[in-house]
Amino acid sequence: MFLIAVDIGNSLINIGFFVEQHLSVHKIEASPLKIREEYETILKKLLENLGEKNITGVIISSVAPGHTIVLKEALKSMTSVDPLIVSWRMKTGLSFAIPHPEKLGSDRIANAAAAYELFRRPVAAIDTGTASTISIVGEKATFVGGAILPGLRLMNESLARGTAQLSEVPLSPPVSALGTDTAGCIKAGLFYGTAGAIERILDEIEKKIGYRVKVVVTGGYGGMISKFLKRQNKIMPHLTLEGLKILYMRNRDA
């Protein structure tokens, strides 16, 4: 099997090439949006480097509709395969106990499907990218909801834009929760604040649903944030792409 899985985010486009059980990941900046021919050139170069030609399938999750259209056209043109677009209506392995599942981000569907498939128990998929999202799959593989808060980069940029004397800081972990200069104080707020917010939200969710959840962390800042969580958690950098593979396998003959 040779599968191309594309996760289009607000900041990055993650492209996963699954050759049997091996995964090769490449990242492209999401902004600015390129024309179809530019994406074709990039993708062809990546495929040449892999040395693979027999493409089994293509699947796309996206939070940027404009990018979806262009990348779908580019991938179909160069592979002659009609890409699957992630939707709650496809075979996800989940049921949805929310009023408007059509508004749920396709990346969150992929995260939820992968996390539940891997652990087969109530799970919280935490994705720390441009936004930090919490997606909860409860008992009987039911997606019950979650939460969304600004990501580290957004908060960092917002502080700089909205204040007269604060500047953006490098997004590296703070030495301590007790900052001793302005940069240290901002980092402490960003990292400990995000981790604390996630844990408080999970506490309140568990009170609401009446049982504990397994915590899985992914996303661009997942490796850093997971270290600040007091809860035991499993870091899975490519959870979304693994979820896309699972969704493809369930829907390839649909």
Side-chain angles (χ1 to χ4, degrees):
M1 183 187 74
F2 181 21
L3 172 67
I4 302 176
V6 181
D7 174 35
I8 305 171
N10 290 296
S11 301
L12 290 172
I13 300 170
N14 290 308
I15 305 172
F17 298 97
F18 288 93
V19 183
E20 300 305 332
Q21 300 305 312
H22 176 71
L23 170 61
S24 176
V25 180
H26 301 268
K27 299 178 185 294
I28 303 172
E29 292 288 337
S31 182
L33 174 62
K34 298 174 175 59
I35 61 173
R36 189 195 76 186
E37 289 78 8
E38 289 179 290
Y39 286 119
E40 285 183 14
T41 299
I42 293 169
L43 289 163
K44 285 177 181 176
K45 182 65 175 177
L46 293 174
L47 289 171
E48 287 172 6
N49 291 339
L50 288 170
E52 292 286 340
K53 295 181 180 179
N54 299 317
I55 297 167
T56 308
V58 181
I59 186 167
I60 300 172
S61 72
S62 175
V63 298
H67 287 70
T68 310
I69 295 169
V70 178
L71 276 158
K72 181 181 178 181
E73 291 176 349
L75 285 159
K76 186 174 182 179
S77 172
M78 61 180 287
T79 66
S80 299
V81 173
D82 196 12
L84 281 173
I85 306 298
V86 174
S87 161
W88 73 280
R89 294 184 182 279
M90 68 187 342
K91 296 175 183 177
T92 62
L94 308 172
S95 59
F96 295 88
I98 56 176
H100 296 288
E102 72 278 2
K103 295 182 178 180
L104 182 63
S106 57
D107 55 336
R108 295 180 67 192
I109 294 172
N111 286 341
Y116 191 83
E117 176 71 15
L118 289 167
F119 296 100
R120 291 290 175 175
R121 54 166 291 186
V123 63
I126 314 296
D127 193 338
T128 57
T130 303
S132 293
T133 64
I134 301 173
S135 302
I136 306 294
V137 183
E139 296 173 335
K140 299 181 181 179
T142 302
F143 188 98
V144 295
I148 300 174
L149 60 153
L152 292 174
R153 182 176 60 80
L154 277 181
M155 289 192 284
N156 195 17
E157 292 174 350
S158 181
L159 279 172
R161 284 197 307 265
T163 61
Q165 293 187 313
L166 298 181
S167 302
E168 289 186 46
V169 298
L171 287 175
S172 56
V175 175
S176 165
L178 180 64
T180 56
D181 57 18
T182 301
C185 289
I186 293 173
K187 287 184 180 183
L190 294 177
F191 283 85
Y192 285 97
T194 295
I198 289 170
E199 292 195 323
R200 174 63 187 277
I201 290 168
L202 290 176
D203 286 344
E204 295 299 322
I205 286 173
E206 288 174 338
K207 289 179 186 177
K208 174 73 174 177
I209 62 179
Y211 47 83
R212 297 277 289 178
V213 294
K214 172 76 176 178
V215 179
V216 184
V217 182
T218 192
Y221 302 112
M224 291 188 285
I225 286 297
S226 78
K227 296 181 175 66
F228 288 84
L229 294 172
K230 293 180 180 179
R231 284 174 174 250
Q232 184 177 3
N233 64 87
K234 175 71 172 178
I235 179 70
M236 299 194 67
H238 305 308
L239 182 70
T240 312
L241 294 174
E242 294 288 351
L244 292 179
K245 180 183 178 183
I246 290 168
L247 293 174
Y248 174 79
M249 298 298 288
R250 287 178 176 157
N251 292 271
R252 57 182 171 175
D253 298 322

